[in-house]
């Protein structure tokens, strides 16, 4: 059965070259074009602009203003002031009256005290920007892990297809031999029927594996932000064993609590809740505003336009708003408590993920060891049972079982190898190791 291993290697191993997609290329394409990751990065850019907007509010506003008024009767063009009576000969009726008036100029206002809205609002916006950037960073880590896991699953399915195809071809040859031996009376018809049943089962299994590969190709394409190619992807095998992680679960858990971007985003949410509590508290304080304008006032009945200007300091001391501020403060305090508990929940989730990652690595190592043993044993059992059957001392059931074990051993080996690689990748992901085990 050495031809089987040679055939499987030739069928499953795809050399890197034109048209082949390596795991690193798939990762790079996903990090560049994954739609969800792009959306997260755009959200971070939008949060950065909102932070700049909040920072600019402390400088106040300057506006060009203008108005046209038509009154029911003549009214003073400008507020009455002592300057309008400087000419002793001018009477009250000589003031600038008109029912049609145009006012235009510049108005400005600068907040001096805003009940914490300026300071806390700027801090909240900056924290929200940081949280959005951390979410985008975590999205990149998640996308990286997902595309590599799907890539390896597709490789394992490709090896399974190669194994089941060899199994099917061997059974087709056995079925043809069985038909001849039944004709000459060397075999009973029931033995030929057993081979036909095994062949039908192999064909059904091949169809199932092909459907699995098509689904994995579609998922891989979605992660890379593209449509799957008509013939699927030509993937490059990764036969090397990954380096096993260093340190204990506790060590990696500590690294995860320090480096996980999604936890950093949750911590920013806690800080935002704290700033909102401070904002609700400072809303009880006074508000002070500097405002003014410079206007040009003109009317058809007034010969020359009149320029006016003013500025003022406006103080507001909030006294009663129907208990709104008190309820807002209580709500902010409760939101802070909820955010703190969410942070604790995220920390416990991360520690559980790290422990799960170590469990996956241990299980995958055992799966790979079993796959190696089954791969070696299956080929030998199939060879021996085939010889015994040819010599007339074997049983058809034992021979078919040997064939199936040979196919399962080849599949199990590659599944174990890629499961171990993905488990190490998963630890890198959940412990925020940055792919150090590649």
């Amino acid at each position: 059965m050495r031809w089987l291993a040679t055939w499987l290697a030739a069928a499953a191993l795809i050399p890197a070259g034109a048209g082949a997609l390596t795991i690193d290329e798939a990762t790079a394409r996903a990090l560049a074009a994954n739609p969800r990751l792009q959306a997260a990065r755009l959200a971070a850019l939008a949060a950065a602009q909102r932070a700049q907007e909040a920072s600019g509010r402390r400088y106040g506003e300057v506006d060009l203003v203008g108005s046209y008024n038509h009154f029911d009767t003549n009214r003073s063009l400008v507020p009455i002031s002592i300057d309008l009576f400087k000419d002793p000969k001018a009477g009250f009726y000589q003031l600038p009256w008109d029912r049609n008036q145009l006012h235009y100029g510049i108005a400005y206002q600068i907040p001096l005290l805003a009940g914490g809205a300026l300071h806390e609002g700027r801090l909240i916006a900056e924290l929200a920007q940081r949280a959005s950037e951390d979410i985008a960073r975590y999205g990149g880590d998640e996308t990286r892990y997902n595309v590599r896991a799907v890539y390896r699953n597709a490789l394992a399915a490709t090896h399974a297809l190669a194994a089941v195809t060899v199994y099917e071809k061997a059974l087709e040859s056995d079925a043809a031999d069985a038909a001849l031996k039944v004709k000459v009376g060397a075999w009973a018809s029931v033995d030929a029927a057993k081979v036909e049943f095994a062949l039908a089962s192999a064909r059904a299994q091949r169809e199932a594996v092909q459907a699995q590969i098509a689904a994995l190709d579609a998922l891989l394409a979605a992660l890379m932000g593209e449509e799957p190619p008509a013939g699927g992807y030509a993937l490059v095998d990764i036969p090397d064993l990954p380096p096993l992680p260093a340190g204990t679960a506790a060590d990696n858990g500590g690294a995860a609590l320090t480096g996980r971007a999604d936890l950093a985003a949750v911590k920013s949410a806690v800080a935002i809740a704290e700033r909102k509590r401070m904002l609700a508290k400072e809303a009880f304080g006074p508000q002070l505003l500097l405002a003014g304008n410079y206007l040009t006032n003109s009317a058809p009945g007034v010969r020359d336009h009149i320029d006016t200007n003013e500025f003022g300091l406006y103080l507001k001391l909030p006294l009663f708003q129907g208990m709104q501020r008190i309820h807002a403060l209580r709500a902010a305090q409760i939101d802070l408590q909820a955010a703190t508990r969410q942070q604790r929940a995220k920390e416990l989730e991360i520690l559980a993920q790290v422990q799960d990652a170590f469990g996956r690595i241990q299980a995958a190592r055992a799966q790979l060891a079993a796959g190696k043993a089954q791969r070696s044993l299956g080929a030998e059992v199939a060879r021996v049972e085939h010889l015994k059957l040819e010599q007339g001392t074997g049983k058809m059931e034992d021979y078919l079982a040997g064939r199936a074990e040979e196919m399962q051993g080849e599949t199990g080996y590659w599944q174990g190898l890629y499961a171990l690689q993905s488990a190490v990748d998963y630890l890198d992901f959940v412990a925020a190791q940055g792919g150090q085990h590649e």
Side-chain angles (χ1 to χ4, degrees):
M1 294 298 172
R2 295 183 181 276
W3 63 270
L4 174 60
T6 304
W7 197 96
L8 285 170
L13 291 178
I14 301 173
L21 177 67
T22 68
I23 191 170
D24 291 333
E25 290 170 351
T27 302
R29 283 159 65 169
L31 292 176
N34 182 272
R36 290 188 178 181
L37 181 55
Q38 288 180 331
R41 289 169 175 168
L42 290 172
L45 292 176
Q49 294 302 311
R50 283 191 290 271
Q52 293 295 325
E53 174 195 2
S55 178
R57 291 172 189 166
R58 55 184 168 175
Y59 301 111
E61 300 177 9
V62 178
D63 301 300
L64 290 174
V65 297
S67 66
Y68 172 80
N69 304 98
H70 175 76
F71 301 106
D72 56 345
T73 185
N74 289 342
R75 297 189 184 183
S76 177
L77 180 63
V78 295
I80 297 177
S81 65
I82 191 64
D83 291 340
L84 297 177
F85 296 94
K86 286 182 178 180
D87 186 357
K89 296 181 180 180
F92 191 78
Y93 289 99
Q94 300 302 314
L95 295 180
W97 303 100
D98 205 299
R99 66 189 302 178
N100 298 296
Q101 299 181 7
L102 178 63
H103 310 271
Y104 57 92
I106 295 177
Y108 61 90
Q109 57 180 9
I110 302 175
L112 302 179
L113 289 175
L118 294 177
H119 177 68
E120 301 299 341
R122 178 175 59 83
L123 293 179
I124 289 172
E126 290 174 353
L127 288 168
Q129 175 189 354
R130 188 185 309 167
S132 294
E133 292 170 348
D134 287 330
I135 290 173
R137 184 160 59 93
Y138 177 76
D141 295 339
E142 186 177 37
T143 299
R144 174 188 174 280
Y145 166 73
N146 286 337
V147 72
R148 294 172 74 85
V150 171
Y151 188 100
R152 291 190 176 100
N153 289 341
L155 275 177
T158 302
H159 280 284
L161 178 61
V164 75
T165 300
V166 170
Y167 178 52
E168 180 186 358
K169 295 296 183 183
L171 288 176
E172 287 177 351
S173 177
D174 291 338
D177 292 342
L180 291 176
K181 291 181 178 180
V182 169
K183 283 184 179 181
V184 298
W187 277 15
S189 59
V190 67
D191 288 333
K194 291 176 182 178
V195 176
E196 289 292 341
F197 175 75
L199 177 58
S201 299
R203 287 170 177 167
Q205 190 172 356
R206 173 177 52 79
E207 293 290 340
V209 175
Q210 287 176 335
Q212 180 186 10
I213 291 175
L216 288 169
D217 282 345
L219 182 55
L220 183 61
L223 288 170
M224 294 189 296
E226 60 190 40
E227 296 288 336
Y233 291 105
L235 306 181
V236 179
D237 215 342
I238 316 169
D240 298 329
L241 287 172
L244 296 179
T248 64
D251 296 333
N252 284 268
L257 294 179
T258 302
R260 279 282 288 267
D262 56 336
L263 179 58
V266 172
K267 290 179 179 179
S268 294
V270 174
I272 288 173
E274 172 62 26
R275 302 324 306 180
K276 287 184 176 179
R277 186 188 69 84
M278 293 298 299
L279 179 59
K281 185 177 180 180
E282 293 176 6
F284 289 88
Q287 299 179 24
L288 183 64
L289 179 70
L290 170 64
N293 59 61
Y294 186 93
L295 298 177
T296 295
N297 310 276
S298 62
V302 178
R303 179 180 302 176
D304 299 319
H305 63 76
I306 302 174
D307 295 331
T308 59
N309 64 84
E310 64 172 298
F311 81 93
L313 286 172
Y314 301 93
L315 179 65
K316 177 182 177 182
L317 297 173
L319 297 179
F320 179 75
Q321 289 184 346
M323 302 289 288
Q324 294 180 39
R325 292 188 300 275
I326 293 177
H327 292 305
L329 178 58
R330 291 175 180 172
Q333 291 171 339
I334 295 172
D335 286 340
L336 176 57
Q337 294 174 6
T340 302
R341 283 159 176 76
Q342 287 175 350
Q343 177 180 337
R344 181 55 179 163
K346 174 58 72 173
E347 290 171 348
L348 293 175
E349 176 188 344
I350 288 173
L351 293 176
Q353 289 174 342
V354 171
Q355 189 63 49
D356 176 48
F358 271 83
R360 291 189 186 190
I361 291 174
Q362 184 177 1
R365 291 179 66 185
Q367 181 183 358
L368 177 59
K372 286 181 178 178
Q374 188 180 20
R375 186 191 198 191
S376 175
L377 178 63
E380 181 62 18
V381 168
R383 184 186 69 83
V384 171
E385 292 298 334
H386 184 265
L387 289 176
K388 289 169 64 177
L389 192 65
E390 290 293 325
Q391 295 170 1
T393 60
K395 295 181 179 180
M396 179 60 66
E397 291 83 356
D398 294 337
Y399 169 69
L400 293 176
R403 284 286 195 191
E405 187 174 349
E406 181 183 28
M407 181 266 296
Q408 293 168 0
E410 186 67 24
T411 301
Y413 169 77
W414 291 105
Q415 287 178 341
L417 175 62
Y418 291 130
L420 180 57
Q421 292 179 0
S422 291
V424 173
D425 246 12
Y426 183 67
L427 179 61
D428 285 346
F429 168 49
V430 299
Q433 298 297 320
Q436 71 173 15
H437 298 124
E438 291 181 13

